[in-house]
Amino acid sequence: GAGVSQSPSNKVTEKGKDVELRCDPISGHTALYWYRQSLGQGLEFLIYFQGNSAPDKSGLPSDRFSAERTGGSVSTLTIQRTQQEDSAVYLCASRNPDRGGELFFGEGSRLTVL
Amino acid sequence: AQSVTQLGSHVSVSEGALVLLRCNYSSSVPPYLFWYVQYPNQGLQLLLKYTTGATLVKGINGFEAEFKKSETSFHLTKPSAHMSDAAEYFCAVSDGSTNAGKSTFGDGTTLTVKP
């Protein structure tokens, strides 16, 4: 497809379980971002990948959170030993730095931790 | 470091009235500035952006914003609100000197349009 694709769109899990969220960016976009949006909150930056550079992980809230980007394309955000406060919508965005600074967002993965 | 402050988490206007959503930013480098809109149960989409050049920028759906460096502001306006404008609006800033790095978002403003 032409847009950013995220899966799953909804995930319900039990406290303590691990979850993986996937993001497939727009083809050719070298920059990829993960943000978290909690109910009634703004967007919280989590992590940023740019090409082959080391990712900016400064927004990851704890060592239970990790992300990787394979082959400069698809990214996976992993949350280990989920907690109820991890419940949120996780948004992925991609960007082509050669064509301005705007981000193109997926529709998000809604995570509910029971 | 960059930051964004959106004044007013909720704004309510009548249909046909002026829409004004306020955004102030802080940046130690020339900024790129953005407004995004999020309709219910959807992802964010770009409304408009300022990078360089003309400080008054026009976006989709009749929205516009003016970059005022002296006031570090980038307020969003629309002359006449429509019911379909009801949504959440986010202001964002990124590093315009390198066009790299993360975008920092404000907390968002929920716009309600009354009939």
Side-chain angles (χ1 to χ4, degrees), chain A residues 43-112:
Chain A
L43 272 69
E44 177 189 4
F45 167 76
L46 297 178
I47 189 168
Y48 159 58
F49 296 90
Q50 172 58 62
N52 295 321
S53 302
D56 177 353
K57 304 180 181 180
S58 60
L60 294 178
S62 77
D63 59 7
R64 295 187 296 105
F65 287 73
S66 63
E68 63 177 20
R69 189 178 186 191
T70 54
S73 181
V74 172
S75 177
T76 301
L77 177 68
T78 301
I79 308 173
Q80 295 179 309
R81 305 181 303 281
T82 52
Q83 304 294 313
Q84 288 185 330
E85 59 264 28
D86 299 334
S87 296
V89 176
Y90 290 81
L91 293 168
C92 177
S94 69
R95 180 169 72 97
N96 182 345
D98 294 331
R99 296 190 61 184
E102 71 263 33
L103 301 181
F104 294 81
F105 283 86
E107 294 198 352
S109 292
R110 181 178 297 277
L111 174 66
T112 303

Side-chain angles (χ1 to χ4, degrees), chain A residues 33 35 37 95 97 102-103, chain B residues 36 38 49 90 99 101 103:
Chain A
Y33 302 74
Y35 288 86
Q37 185 177 25
R95 180 169 72 97
E102 71 263 33
L103 301 181
Chain B
Y36 292 85
Q38 185 179 33
K49 66 178 180 180
F90 292 93
N99 194 17
S103 291

Side-chain angles (χ1 to χ4, degrees), chain B residues 70-99:
Chain B
S70 62
E71 299 178 7
T72 61
S73 70
F74 191 58
H75 302 329
L76 181 70
T77 61
K78 180 174 180 178
S80 176
H82 192 273
M83 297 296 291
S84 61
D85 295 327
E88 189 157 20
Y89 293 79
F90 292 93
C91 182
V93 63
S94 67
D95 184 344
S97 64
T98 63
N99 194 17

